[in-house]
Amino acid sequence: MSDTRRAPSRSYGTTAVASSPWIVVSVGVVVMVVLLAIALGTYRGRGPAFDAQPGPPLPTVGLAGPVPSAASPTATPSPRATAAPSRRATSRPTPERPTPARTSSPPSPTPAPTPTSSGGTLLIAPPPSPVTGRYRLVESFADGFVGEVLITNTSSTRRGWTAQLTFPGTRLSSAWVEGTTQGTAQRIDDGFTYRSGVDLPAGGSATLRFYVQGAQSRPASCTVDGSACRA
């Protein structure tokens, strides 16, 4: 019996697996089913909140060129770094002197009236106009007359003129200047005013004639540029 050798014993499980490969396949299928069930449960457990979560950020590409740096806050100067103002450099403002206002030249005084020996005052009349007039009656009619004023310029320059005549109770019918450009006539109360159409040359003269309806042939007043006419 001592020579008798025992054959090596084989495990029953290993033998069963080796002899039956379908068992390995069945175990693999069961494992896969379990893993698939776990995966399905995990996918169903995701709710709207999980789907709404943002995905991972996309990679960004930097642009070429210098990258602007963030503006650094302005540094507040230290009180010690501020230099104290020098008293010598400070100058007192010079007070401005008031400029005297320019005044226009005073108007020339009006000549005072000259007292007379009788105790009254004598008014100084303005100088006469260099353009003078002389009145005369040219022709009379039953219902009117023709009068004339000779206008003379005694100055050394050309001058215009204005004649004014009044005849109480009469009416101007027409007025004209002999042999030259006509002026304008305007009726006034009991008379008329005539303005020259052209200036009289120095030393020249013009004849103003007019036809007046009425019996009063002597004018109550006759003036040329404010100066009385001569008769």
Side-chain angles (χ1 to χ4, degrees):
M1 292 183 65
S2 58
D3 296 334
T4 304
R5 295 178 179 180
R6 295 180 180 180
S9 61
R10 297 179 178 179
S11 176
Y12 177 77
T14 305
T15 304
V17 172
S19 60
S20 302
W22 60 269
I23 296 176
V24 177
V25 174
S26 299
V27 172
V29 170
V30 172
V31 173
M32 292 179 63
V33 170
V34 173
L35 293 176
L36 181 61
I38 294 173
L40 291 176
T42 304
Y43 177 78
R44 291 180 180 179
R46 295 180 179 180
F50 179 81
D51 296 337
Q53 294 180 359
L58 297 176
T60 57
V61 180
L63 300 177
V67 179
S69 60
S72 60
T74 305
T76 304
S78 175
R80 296 181 179 180
T82 305
S86 176
R87 294 184 179 180
R88 297 181 179 179
T90 304
S91 59
R92 297 182 180 179
T94 304
E96 297 182 358
R97 297 180 180 179
T99 303
R102 296 182 179 179
T103 58
S104 57
S105 58
S108 56
T110 305
T114 304
T116 60
S117 57
S118 60
T121 56
L122 177 63
L123 298 178
I124 300 176
S129 172
V131 181
T132 62
R134 180 186 295 272
Y135 173 79
R136 77 181 184 95
L137 177 63
V138 177
E139 189 174 357
S140 297
F141 302 96
D143 58 348
F145 62 94
V146 175
E148 175 187 282
V149 177
L150 180 62
I151 311 295
T152 305
N153 180 12
T154 61
S155 67
S156 59
T157 58
R158 300 178 63 90
R159 298 182 65 94
W161 51 271
T162 301
Q164 183 173 343
L165 295 93
T166 57
F167 297 91
T170 62
R171 180 177 180 271
L172 176 67
S173 179
S174 60
W176 67 95
V177 179
E178 296 284 346
T180 186
T181 303
Q182 301 300 311
T184 56
Q186 182 181 4
R187 293 174 181 171
I188 58 176
D189 295 339
D190 293 336
F192 67 95
T193 299
Y194 192 94
R195 291 180 175 84
S196 61
V198 292
D199 295 345
L200 275 177
S205 61
T207 302
L208 170 64
R209 288 190 176 182
F210 43 89
Y211 175 62
V212 178
Q213 295 178 346
Q216 182 65 32
S217 60
R218 185 177 181 85
S221 65
C222 175
T223 58
V224 176
D225 289 348
S227 298
C229 303
R230 300 188 304 272

